[in-house]
Amino acid sequence: MSDIKAQFALLRQTADATVANAIEHLVEKGADPDLNRINAIDFAKSIGLDEEKVISGFLHSSRLGLFDLTWNVLCPGCGGVLGAHSTLKSLKPDDYHCGLCACGYEASVDEQVEVAFTVSPRVRRIAAHDPNTLPIWDYYKQIFWSSGVDFNVEGFSTLADEVTLDTMELPAGEKAVLSLQLPKEFIIIFEPVTHSAQFIDVQGEPTRDRQQLSLVYTKTPTPTGGTRTMRPGPLRLSLDNQADQRVLPSVFVAGEAMHHLIGKRKPFLTAKRMLSNQTFRDVFKADNLSVDQRLKITSLTFLFTDLKGSTALYERVGDLAAFDLVRAHFHALLEIIASEKGAVVKTIGDAVMATFIRPEHAIVAGLKMRAAMDELNKQRGTDDLIVKIGIHEGPCLAVMLNERQDYFGQTVNIAARVQSLSTAQEIHITGPVLDAPAVAEILEQRSIRPIQKQAALRGIADKMVVYEIP
């Protein structure tokens, strides 16, 4: 225990001390479910602390071995966890299939990959470390459904009592029979351990004859067994567990009540946000993509900067003075990027490439950068520091380039080219950035009127409409 106390003392040195204290209190006093797949966004809200500081705190905690970080691929329909991975490299390039929803999905990192934190068994052992011992509804809540599904106690009770016809815990190698009375509804027999499902469309006139259905669970289950048509009335459901682990078959009425209960969502930490988190990029450099991995991101905002006339600056003021100026400029830019929930992808010479989850964070960062350069120039009584800024938003691929997590695609190319349009302290943005409601609101609040232009960008076939932020 003294080793763990020492690690928390170290955490207070590397992360925000208030956040570190809150995490330590959670480990010591929290209930078991509170320490499994922790939703960092939800936790920050519950204790009234800054989200970025809380995320950073959990990342440093994971690096110290206090928590295990997991990347969970989610079904966008039901919010179920289709695959849990200990590293980003483990994400599969092929589709993940949800038996409950009978749909396949590619693991887009925007809203389909959840990043969660579970206390290490070395620090404190909780029930979820042995998921096969969890009672059935605890298994659903802690293992199958993600931290983004907004279940309250009353809602989960409704799911268990009103939406479920029957459930069973069936040990490995055993058989069992359930006797059910089928209502005139659409029925799903779902098994959350193997993710197997059988659909029954109950229709027509009621019958008194006992209907029969047999299901076999194996090591390599077929995600869905198709849809059977049956009549309202008695059903003899035979179950055979050949999966070498216990299974938890559950018979759900797939009506409005079920859709309403599992359709409630709350914010959670996405892989996209994690990839644009500076602490993650700094601390988890090795836990990134593999060389041949490509992850699709449907929307990411890129900000490029470049220091105008840096070569002439070195000639004009000398190497030593210029180096100090450039270093001050980098320090200001990197601080601003982090403060606006962005992350530096790389620096190239005097240029910076950064990413932001939303365009409004990038535009605020750009405006702050411009103001910071004005202040640095004012302090020195010069106008040597002129930063050109370009911002664009769109789809891209997260990749590994030169042993570093990077981004690839036309969105990145356009953002870099847009930056090159600037000749002074103006910022250039594209239509997708300006069209973001929050960006328009920011510009209106500051009485900034964008100037529309037609621009020919190198390497881009057609001219683009861009906007200058004077």
Side-chain angles (χ1 to χ4, degrees):
M1 194 67 182
S2 60
D3 289 344
I4 295 170
K5 285 289 185 183
Q7 285 178 301
F8 275 111
L10 183 57
L11 179 63
R12 276 184 279 275
Q13 297 173 25
T14 56
D16 181 86
T18 305
V19 171
N21 289 336
I23 293 174
E24 184 175 22
H25 183 266
L26 175 67
V27 169
E28 291 178 349
K29 304 296 184 183
D32 275 17
D34 297 332
L35 290 162
N36 178 55
R37 288 187 184 164
I38 296 167
N39 180 333
I41 307 301
D42 211 29
F43 181 73
K45 181 180 179 182
S46 70
I47 60 176
L49 293 177
D50 177 74
E51 287 181 1
E52 294 301 310
K53 291 180 179 178
V54 168
I55 294 169
S56 179
F58 275 110
L59 285 170
H60 283 294
S61 297
S62 298
R63 175 53 72 194
L64 291 170
L66 296 167
F67 287 85
D68 295 324
L69 185 155
T70 56
W71 307 79
N72 305 320
V73 180
L74 311 183
C75 170
C78 68
V81 175
L82 308 183
H85 304 280
S86 59
T87 68
L88 189 58
K89 294 177 182 177
S90 305
L91 262 67
K92 299 182 294 184
D94 51 339
D95 287 354
Y96 289 78
H97 195 92
C98 179
L100 186 59
C101 297
C103 290
Y105 304 99
E106 189 174 359
S108 163
V109 302
D110 291 71
E111 298 295 334
Q112 276 180 251
V113 180
E114 162 202 65
V115 183
F117 302 88
T118 298
V119 68
S120 168
R122 186 182 60 81
V123 175
R124 175 177 159 184
R125 190 148 196 95
I126 59 173
H129 288 142
D130 301 300
N132 286 330
T133 66
L134 287 171
I136 184 167
W137 292 113
D138 286 337
Y139 187 94
Y140 268 108
K141 193 169 185 179
Q142 295 187 50
I143 306 299
F144 178 72
W145 271 304
S146 78
S147 68
V149 179
D150 192 8
F151 281 123
N152 55 31
V153 175
E154 182 181 346
F156 211 82
S157 175
T158 301
L159 178 68
D161 297 339
E162 298 180 21
V163 178
T164 308
L165 295 182
D166 209 345
T167 63
M168 170 174 283
E169 179 177 339
L170 189 60
E174 294 196 10
K175 299 179 181 180
V177 174
L178 288 178
S179 295
L180 304 169
Q181 192 71 24
L182 292 178
K184 196 172 184 178
E185 301 276 1
F186 195 87
I187 302 298
I188 301 176
I189 304 171
F190 181 66
E191 200 295 296
V193 180
T194 62
H195 289 226
S196 299
Q198 173 68 57
F199 301 106
I200 306 175
D201 188 5
V202 185
Q203 54 180 270
E205 293 298 317
T207 180
R208 293 185 178 180
D209 296 334
R210 186 174 298 278
Q211 301 165 100
Q212 305 281 342
L213 178 63
S214 296
L215 298 178
V216 179
Y217 299 108
T218 64
K219 295 180 185 178
T220 54
T222 302
T224 54
T227 302
R228 297 279 296 270
T229 300
M230 292 187 170
R231 293 166 63 184
L235 169 67
R236 186 178 189 271
L237 178 61
S238 300
L239 303 169
D240 182 1
N241 182 10
Q242 302 175 13
D244 285 349
Q245 59 183 326
R246 72 153 188 181
V247 293
L248 304 168
S250 311
V251 186
F252 294 124
V253 177
E256 283 300 317
M258 181 177 182
H259 294 147
H260 174 71
L261 287 171
I262 67 176
K264 294 179 180 179
R265 297 290 188 269
K266 58 184 175 181
F268 61 89
L269 181 57
T270 64
K272 181 174 85 167
R273 182 165 180 180
M274 187 61 86
L275 290 176
S276 287
N277 179 277
Q278 194 64 56
T279 301
F280 175 74
R281 294 188 68 96
D282 292 342
V283 175
F284 283 83
K285 293 176 182 176
D287 184 25
N288 241 309
L289 305 174
S290 59
V291 174
D292 58 351
Q293 203 171 6
R294 311 285 185 269
L295 291 182
K296 288 185 178 179
I297 300 177
T298 58
S299 173
L300 194 63
T301 303
F302 291 88
L303 180 149
F304 278 81
T305 75
D306 196 12
L307 190 57
K308 181 183 177 183
S310 56
T311 302
L313 174 64
Y314 277 84
E315 291 178 355
R316 187 166 63 253
V317 303
D319 288 348
L320 188 59
F323 176 76
D324 287 340
L325 279 172
V326 171
R327 187 173 59 176
H329 133 272
F330 269 130
H331 178 76
L333 264 53
L334 303 190
E335 195 174 74
I336 290 167
I337 290 166
S339 73
E340 292 303 321
K341 303 180 181 179
V344 176
V345 178
K346 57 188 173 186
T347 58
I348 310 165
D350 300 322
V352 174
M353 172 185 175
T355 57
F356 297 83
I357 299 301
R358 289 188 288 272
E360 57 265 31
H361 296 313
I363 194 71
V364 170
L367 294 170
K368 284 185 175 181
M369 289 173 179
R370 188 161 66 181
M373 294 307 102
D374 288 341
E375 181 60 30
L376 284 172
N377 284 330
K378 182 180 177 182
Q379 290 173 8
R380 288 166 171 77
T382 69
D383 57 358
D384 288 322
L385 294 175
I386 298 175
V387 174
K388 303 187 297 179
I389 300 171
I391 304 172
H392 180 48
E393 180 267 339
C396 63
L397 293 175
V399 299
M400 284 295 285
L401 291 174
N402 301 319
E403 300 182 351
R404 177 186 350 196
Q405 193 258 305
D406 208 329
Y407 298 92
F408 179 83
Q410 191 74 320
T411 298
V412 182
N413 297 335
I414 291 173
R417 303 292 184 260
V418 167
Q419 172 270 127
S420 66
L421 296 174
S422 298
T423 58
Q425 291 277 45
E426 70 270 14
I427 301 168
H428 281 89
I429 66 175
T430 59
V433 176
L434 185 65
D435 291 341
V439 170
E441 184 178 339
I442 289 166
L443 296 179
E444 184 176 350
Q445 288 174 350
R446 304 184 185 209
S447 300
I448 298 173
R449 300 179 66 87
I451 302 169
Q452 182 175 317
K453 298 179 177 180
Q454 286 276 347
L457 304 179
R458 182 168 58 86
I460 310 299
D462 299 322
K463 283 189 173 183
M464 280 189 64
V465 175
V466 298
Y467 299 86
E468 177 187 321
I469 307 300

